[in-house]
Amino acid sequence: MAFYSGTATDAYDLLTIIKTQAVANGWTLLRGTTTELILYSDGMGGEDNIYIGFQLFTNGDGVNMRLSSFTGYANTGTFAQQPNYTANVFVYLHSGNEPYWLNITKKRILGAVKIYEPLDDLQKNPVYQIFHNGYLDAFGAPSTLPMPYALVGGGNTSTLRWSSVSTDLPARPIVFTPFPRWVKAMSLVQGFTNTMPYTADPEGNLFAMPITIFTNYTNATDPYSVTSVTERCLIGEFDGLIKVLASGGIKSEDTVTIDSVDYIVIQNGLKTEFQEYFAIRKV
Protein backbone atom coordinates (compact mmCIF):
# COMPACT_ATOMS: atom_id res chain seq x y z
CA MET A 1 0.00 0.00 0.00
CA ALA A 2 1.17 3.51 -0.77
CA PHE A 3 -0.18 6.98 -0.01
CA TYR A 4 0.39 10.07 -2.14
CA SER A 5 -0.80 13.65 -1.92
CA GLY A 6 -0.15 16.80 -3.88
CA THR A 7 -1.78 19.15 -6.36
CA ALA A 8 -2.54 18.25 -9.96
CA THR A 9 -2.44 21.10 -12.44
CA ASP A 10 -5.68 19.90 -14.03
CA ALA A 11 -7.79 16.80 -14.65
CA TYR A 12 -5.37 15.47 -17.27
CA ASP A 13 -2.45 15.78 -14.90
CA LEU A 14 -4.47 13.94 -12.24
CA LEU A 15 -5.02 11.05 -14.65
CA THR A 16 -1.28 10.90 -15.33
CA ILE A 17 -0.54 10.86 -11.60
CA ILE A 18 -2.98 8.00 -11.04
CA LYS A 19 -1.34 6.06 -13.88
CA THR A 20 2.20 6.65 -12.63
CA GLN A 21 1.50 5.70 -9.03
CA ALA A 22 -0.68 2.71 -9.94
CA VAL A 23 2.06 1.21 -12.10
CA ALA A 24 4.59 1.90 -9.35
CA ASN A 25 2.43 -0.17 -6.99
CA GLY A 26 1.90 -3.31 -9.00
CA TRP A 27 -0.80 -2.45 -11.55
CA THR A 28 -0.19 -3.31 -15.21
CA LEU A 29 -0.87 -0.57 -17.74
CA LEU A 30 -3.11 -1.88 -20.53
CA ARG A 31 -4.02 1.48 -22.05
CA GLY A 32 -2.75 4.94 -21.28
CA THR A 33 -3.61 8.03 -23.29
CA THR A 34 -4.25 11.64 -22.33
CA THR A 35 -7.92 10.78 -21.72
CA GLU A 36 -8.08 7.03 -21.00
CA LEU A 37 -6.48 4.72 -18.49
CA ILE A 38 -7.11 0.97 -18.23
CA LEU A 39 -5.26 -1.03 -15.58
CA TYR A 40 -4.98 -4.67 -14.56
CA SER A 41 -3.96 -6.29 -11.28
CA ASP A 42 -3.84 -9.87 -10.02
CA GLY A 43 -4.76 -8.63 -6.55
CA MET A 44 -3.13 -8.90 -3.16
CA GLY A 45 -2.60 -12.65 -3.37
CA GLY A 46 -1.87 -12.92 -7.07
CA GLU A 47 -5.05 -14.88 -7.80
CA ASP A 48 -7.51 -12.17 -8.90
CA ASN A 49 -8.21 -10.59 -12.26
CA ILE A 50 -9.05 -6.94 -11.60
CA TYR A 51 -9.63 -4.60 -14.53
CA ILE A 52 -10.43 -0.94 -13.88
CA GLY A 53 -10.66 2.15 -16.05
CA PHE A 54 -10.65 5.95 -15.86
CA GLN A 55 -11.85 8.11 -18.76
CA LEU A 56 -11.84 11.92 -19.07
CA PHE A 57 -14.32 13.87 -21.18
CA THR A 58 -15.19 17.55 -21.43
CA ASN A 59 -18.44 18.76 -19.94
CA GLY A 60 -19.12 22.42 -20.68
CA ASP A 61 -16.34 24.34 -18.93
CA GLY A 62 -15.39 21.29 -16.88
CA VAL A 63 -13.73 17.92 -17.32
CA ASN A 64 -15.41 14.86 -15.82
CA MET A 65 -13.79 11.52 -15.06
CA ARG A 66 -15.72 8.29 -15.63
CA LEU A 67 -14.85 5.32 -13.41
CA SER A 68 -15.36 1.87 -14.89
CA SER A 69 -14.74 -1.77 -14.08
CA PHE A 70 -14.42 -4.65 -16.51
CA THR A 71 -14.13 -8.42 -16.49
CA GLY A 72 -11.36 -8.50 -19.11
CA TYR A 73 -9.56 -6.41 -21.69
CA ALA A 74 -10.06 -6.15 -25.46
CA ASN A 75 -7.04 -4.50 -27.04
CA THR A 76 -8.90 -3.42 -30.18
CA GLY A 77 -12.07 -2.36 -28.37
CA THR A 78 -12.95 1.17 -27.33
CA PHE A 79 -13.26 2.08 -23.67
CA ALA A 80 -17.01 1.38 -23.82
CA GLN A 81 -16.46 -1.94 -25.62
CA GLN A 82 -14.48 -3.55 -22.82
CA PRO A 83 -16.04 -6.73 -21.35
CA ASN A 84 -18.90 -5.98 -18.92
CA TYR A 85 -18.18 -2.24 -19.12
CA THR A 86 -19.75 -0.16 -16.34
CA ALA A 87 -20.18 3.55 -16.87
CA ASN A 88 -22.36 5.27 -14.32
CA VAL A 89 -19.94 6.66 -11.71
CA PHE A 90 -18.17 10.00 -12.18
CA VAL A 91 -15.73 12.38 -10.52
CA TYR A 92 -16.40 16.01 -11.49
CA LEU A 93 -13.20 17.90 -12.22
CA HIS A 94 -12.11 21.09 -13.97
CA SER A 95 -9.15 22.65 -15.78
CA GLY A 96 -7.53 24.23 -12.73
CA ASN A 97 -5.41 23.06 -9.80
CA GLU A 98 -6.81 20.07 -7.93
CA PRO A 99 -5.36 18.92 -4.59
CA TYR A 100 -5.55 15.13 -4.35
CA TRP A 101 -4.96 12.26 -1.94
CA LEU A 102 -4.37 8.69 -3.16
CA ASN A 103 -4.18 5.37 -1.33
CA ILE A 104 -3.23 2.55 -3.71
CA THR A 105 -3.03 -1.20 -3.23
CA LYS A 106 -3.04 -4.01 -5.80
CA LYS A 107 -6.74 -4.47 -5.05
CA ARG A 108 -8.11 -0.96 -5.50
CA ILE A 109 -7.37 2.71 -6.05
CA LEU A 110 -8.86 4.95 -3.38
CA GLY A 111 -8.58 8.71 -3.41
CA ALA A 112 -10.09 12.13 -2.94
CA VAL A 113 -9.93 15.40 -4.82
CA LYS A 114 -10.71 18.98 -3.84
CA ILE A 115 -12.19 21.52 -6.25
CA TYR A 116 -12.12 25.15 -5.14
CA GLU A 117 -12.79 28.16 -7.34
CA PRO A 118 -13.61 31.10 -5.02
CA LEU A 119 -14.33 33.38 -7.99
CA ASP A 120 -16.75 30.92 -9.58
CA ASP A 121 -20.27 32.38 -9.59
CA LEU A 122 -21.80 28.93 -9.04
CA GLN A 123 -19.61 27.75 -6.18
CA LYS A 124 -17.66 29.74 -3.60
CA ASN A 125 -16.90 26.87 -1.21
CA PRO A 126 -14.56 23.91 -1.70
CA VAL A 127 -16.16 20.64 -2.72
CA TYR A 128 -14.51 17.30 -1.98
CA GLN A 129 -15.11 14.05 -3.84
CA ILE A 130 -13.98 10.62 -2.72
CA PHE A 131 -13.44 7.96 -5.35
CA HIS A 132 -12.84 4.21 -5.25
CA ASN A 133 -12.23 1.82 -8.13
CA GLY A 134 -11.46 -1.84 -7.55
CA TYR A 135 -12.36 -4.52 -5.02
CA LEU A 136 -14.09 -4.26 -1.67
CA ASP A 137 -13.01 -6.40 1.26
CA ALA A 138 -15.76 -8.93 0.59
CA PHE A 139 -17.26 -11.13 3.29
CA GLY A 140 -17.60 -14.83 2.54
CA ALA A 141 -15.92 -17.15 0.07
CA PRO A 142 -14.76 -15.98 -3.39
CA SER A 143 -17.36 -18.28 -4.96
CA THR A 144 -20.07 -16.21 -3.26
CA LEU A 145 -19.01 -12.86 -4.67
CA PRO A 146 -16.12 -13.56 -7.03
CA MET A 147 -15.56 -10.04 -8.39
CA PRO A 148 -16.59 -7.51 -5.69
CA TYR A 149 -15.95 -4.27 -7.56
CA ALA A 150 -17.07 -1.07 -5.83
CA LEU A 151 -17.25 2.20 -7.76
CA VAL A 152 -17.51 5.46 -5.85
CA GLY A 153 -17.38 9.02 -7.16
CA GLY A 154 -19.07 12.38 -6.90
CA GLY A 155 -22.24 11.20 -8.64
CA ASN A 156 -23.74 8.95 -11.27
CA THR A 157 -24.87 11.51 -13.85
CA SER A 158 -22.38 12.27 -16.62
CA THR A 159 -23.51 15.84 -17.29
CA LEU A 160 -23.15 17.31 -13.80
CA ARG A 161 -20.69 20.12 -13.12
CA TRP A 162 -18.41 19.96 -10.10
CA SER A 163 -20.29 22.86 -8.50
CA SER A 164 -23.45 20.70 -8.49
CA VAL A 165 -21.97 18.16 -6.08
CA SER A 166 -23.57 18.40 -2.65
CA THR A 167 -22.72 14.97 -1.30
CA ASP A 168 -20.48 12.34 -2.83
CA LEU A 169 -21.06 8.60 -2.98
CA PRO A 170 -19.18 6.60 -0.33
CA ALA A 171 -22.55 5.97 1.30
CA ARG A 172 -24.12 4.85 -1.98
CA PRO A 173 -21.53 2.89 -3.94
CA ILE A 174 -22.18 1.14 -7.20
CA VAL A 175 -21.18 -2.42 -6.39
CA PHE A 176 -20.58 -4.27 -9.63
CA THR A 177 -20.64 -8.07 -9.31
CA PRO A 178 -20.68 -9.60 -12.80
CA PHE A 179 -21.28 -13.12 -11.51
CA PRO A 180 -23.31 -12.84 -8.28
CA ARG A 181 -24.42 -16.21 -6.98
CA TRP A 182 -26.64 -15.34 -4.08
CA VAL A 183 -28.47 -11.98 -4.33
CA LYS A 184 -29.79 -10.26 -7.46
CA ALA A 185 -30.79 -6.62 -7.97
CA MET A 186 -28.65 -5.42 -5.10
CA SER A 187 -29.52 -2.03 -3.64
CA LEU A 188 -26.59 -1.05 -1.49
CA VAL A 189 -25.93 1.47 1.24
CA GLN A 190 -23.35 1.70 3.99
CA GLY A 191 -23.99 0.85 7.61
CA PHE A 192 -23.39 4.29 9.09
CA THR A 193 -25.97 6.98 8.30
CA ASN A 194 -26.11 10.63 9.27
CA THR A 195 -29.69 10.17 10.48
CA MET A 196 -28.59 8.08 13.45
CA PRO A 197 -28.90 9.92 16.80
CA TYR A 198 -25.22 10.64 17.43
CA THR A 199 -23.99 13.74 19.20
CA ALA A 200 -20.48 15.17 19.31
CA ASP A 201 -18.30 14.01 22.19
CA PRO A 202 -18.02 17.00 24.59
CA GLU A 203 -14.41 16.01 25.30
CA GLY A 204 -13.53 16.05 21.61
CA ASN A 205 -12.78 12.34 21.25
CA LEU A 206 -12.98 11.02 17.69
CA PHE A 207 -15.43 8.25 16.94
CA ALA A 208 -14.67 6.14 13.86
CA MET A 209 -16.06 2.99 12.27
CA PRO A 210 -15.67 0.89 9.11
CA ILE A 211 -18.12 1.38 6.25
CA THR A 212 -20.00 -1.88 5.89
CA ILE A 213 -21.88 -2.62 2.68
CA PHE A 214 -25.10 -4.61 2.75
CA THR A 215 -28.22 -5.26 0.73
CA ASN A 216 -31.81 -5.21 1.96
CA TYR A 217 -34.12 -7.96 0.79
CA THR A 218 -37.22 -9.86 1.88
CA ASN A 219 -36.80 -13.61 2.23
CA ALA A 220 -40.13 -15.38 1.95
CA THR A 221 -38.74 -18.91 1.49
CA ASP A 222 -36.32 -19.34 4.39
CA PRO A 223 -38.17 -21.40 7.04
CA TYR A 224 -36.13 -19.70 9.76
CA SER A 225 -37.05 -16.22 8.56
CA VAL A 226 -40.14 -14.18 9.33
CA THR A 227 -41.98 -13.75 6.03
CA SER A 228 -42.10 -10.21 4.64
CA VAL A 229 -39.50 -8.90 7.08
CA THR A 230 -36.67 -7.02 5.40
CA GLU A 231 -33.30 -8.53 6.24
CA ARG A 232 -29.75 -7.33 5.69
CA CYS A 233 -27.20 -9.44 3.89
CA LEU A 234 -23.63 -8.24 4.45
CA ILE A 235 -21.41 -7.94 1.39
CA GLY A 236 -18.18 -6.38 2.60
CA GLU A 237 -16.50 -3.16 3.61
CA PHE A 238 -14.13 -0.57 2.18
CA ASP A 239 -10.44 -1.02 2.76
CA GLY A 240 -8.65 2.18 3.78
CA LEU A 241 -11.81 4.30 4.05
CA ILE A 242 -13.72 4.84 7.29
CA LYS A 243 -16.46 7.10 8.61
CA VAL A 244 -15.61 9.53 11.41
CA LEU A 245 -17.55 11.91 13.61
CA ALA A 246 -15.46 15.05 13.24
CA SER A 247 -16.01 16.46 16.69
CA GLY A 248 -13.58 18.65 18.55
CA GLY A 249 -13.00 21.07 15.69
CA ILE A 250 -11.66 18.49 13.22
CA LYS A 251 -11.99 19.57 9.59
CA SER A 252 -11.13 18.44 6.07
CA GLU A 253 -7.45 17.80 5.35
CA ASP A 254 -6.61 17.36 9.03
CA THR A 255 -4.55 14.30 9.91
CA VAL A 256 -5.95 12.19 12.74
CA THR A 257 -4.54 9.09 14.40
CA ILE A 258 -6.83 6.14 15.09
CA ASP A 259 -5.39 2.99 16.68
CA SER A 260 -1.87 4.26 15.90
CA VAL A 261 -2.71 4.69 12.18
CA ASP A 262 -2.79 8.11 10.48
CA TYR A 263 -5.76 9.15 8.33
CA ILE A 264 -6.55 12.23 6.24
CA VAL A 265 -10.03 13.64 6.96
CA ILE A 266 -12.29 14.40 3.97
CA GLN A 267 -15.74 15.96 4.18
CA ASN A 268 -18.72 14.62 2.26
CA GLY A 269 -18.95 16.88 -0.80
CA LEU A 270 -19.99 20.30 0.53
CA LYS A 271 -21.26 18.98 3.85
CA THR A 272 -19.46 20.22 6.96
CA GLU A 273 -21.72 18.92 9.75
CA PHE A 274 -19.69 16.84 12.19
CA GLN A 275 -21.30 13.56 11.05
CA GLU A 276 -20.47 14.19 7.36
CA TYR A 277 -16.80 13.21 7.34
CA PHE A 278 -14.78 10.28 6.07
CA ALA A 279 -11.10 9.48 6.49
CA ILE A 280 -8.59 7.85 4.14
CA ARG A 281 -5.71 5.83 5.57
CA LYS A 282 -2.30 7.39 4.97
CA VAL A 283 -0.05 4.40 5.74
Side-chain angles (χ1 to χ4, degrees):
M1 188 211 76
F3 178 81
Y4 304 92
S5 62
T7 300
T9 56
D10 56 23
Y12 302 95
D13 186 37
L14 178 63
L15 188 69
T16 298
I17 291 168
I18 293 173
K19 176 182 68 176
T20 300
Q21 305 303 356
V23 171
N25 286 278
W27 289 83
T28 298
L29 178 64
L30 300 177
R31 180 176 299 172
T33 71
T34 57
T35 60
E36 292 184 0
L37 175 60
I38 299 179
L39 299 165
Y40 166 79
S41 173
D42 58 7
M44 304 298 287
E47 298 180 351
D48 294 310
N49 289 291
I50 307 171
Y51 297 86
I52 62 174
F54 302 82
Q55 184 186 50
L56 298 178
F57 58 96
T58 57
N59 177 45
D61 65 346
V63 182
N64 292 349
M65 181 167 67
R66 175 183 283 109
L67 306 185
S68 295
S69 298
F70 320 107
T71 57
Y73 176 65
N75 183 54
T76 59
T78 66
F79 192 86
Q81 290 173 337
Q82 299 304 309
N84 287 290
Y85 159 72
T86 59
N88 53 351
V89 175
F90 304 90
V91 181
Y92 304 103
L93 306 173
H94 66 165
S95 58
N97 289 343
E98 294 166 343
Y100 67 86
W101 300 266
L102 293 173
N103 180 306
I104 300 175
T105 71
K106 289 189 68 178
K107 180 173 58 179
R108 50 90 183 127
I109 294 178
L110 169 67
V113 64
K114 172 186 177 182
I115 310 294
Y116 184 38
E117 288 286 358
L119 300 181
D120 190 303
D121 291 337
L122 298 177
Q123 181 56 266
K124 299 185 184 300
N125 296 306
V127 59
Y128 293 79
Q129 297 168 77
I130 296 170
F131 57 92
H132 179 286
N133 201 350
Y135 277 11
L136 286 170
D137 278 348
F139 300 150
S143 59
T144 301
L145 203 65
M147 302 185 78
Y149 288 108
L151 281 71
V152 169
N156 52 22
T157 302
S158 65
T159 56
L160 285 183
R161 187 178 188 269
W162 63 269
S163 58
S164 299
V165 176
S166 176
T167 60
D168 55 7
L169 293 180
R172 300 178 304 283
I174 303 298
V175 175
F176 168 57
T177 56
F179 311 112
R181 298 181 181 175
W182 60 299
V183 177
K184 295 182 179 180
M186 287 182 285
S187 176
L188 299 161
V189 295
Q190 52 97 341
F192 184 104
T193 67
N194 57 20
T195 59
M196 298 176 78
Y198 291 106
T199 57
D201 187 327
E203 297 182 1
N205 296 319
L206 185 67
F207 179 79
M209 67 182 297
I211 304 174
T212 304
I213 310 302
F214 61 87
T215 180
N216 287 330
Y217 75 107
T218 300
N219 189 340
T221 60
D222 185 348
Y224 300 101
S225 173
V226 179
T227 302
S228 300
V229 171
T230 298
E231 300 175 344
R232 289 182 176 179
C233 196
L234 288 173
I235 291 174
E237 65 183 48
F238 288 115
D239 165 51
L241 179 67
I242 61 174
K243 190 74 180 285
V244 296
L245 293 182
S247 56
I250 293 169
K251 60 186 182 302
S252 282
E253 304 181 39
D254 283 350
T255 294
V256 297
T257 302
I258 302 169
D259 293 334
S260 301
V261 177
D262 288 342
Y263 291 79
I264 184 78
V265 176
I266 302 292
Q267 71 189 49
N268 184 8
L270 282 174
K271 299 288 187 178
T272 57
E273 296 84 0
F274 76 94
Q275 76 274 11
E276 293 283 359
Y277 286 82
F278 297 90
I280 294 174
R281 192 171 64 228
K282 296 180 68 173
V283 294

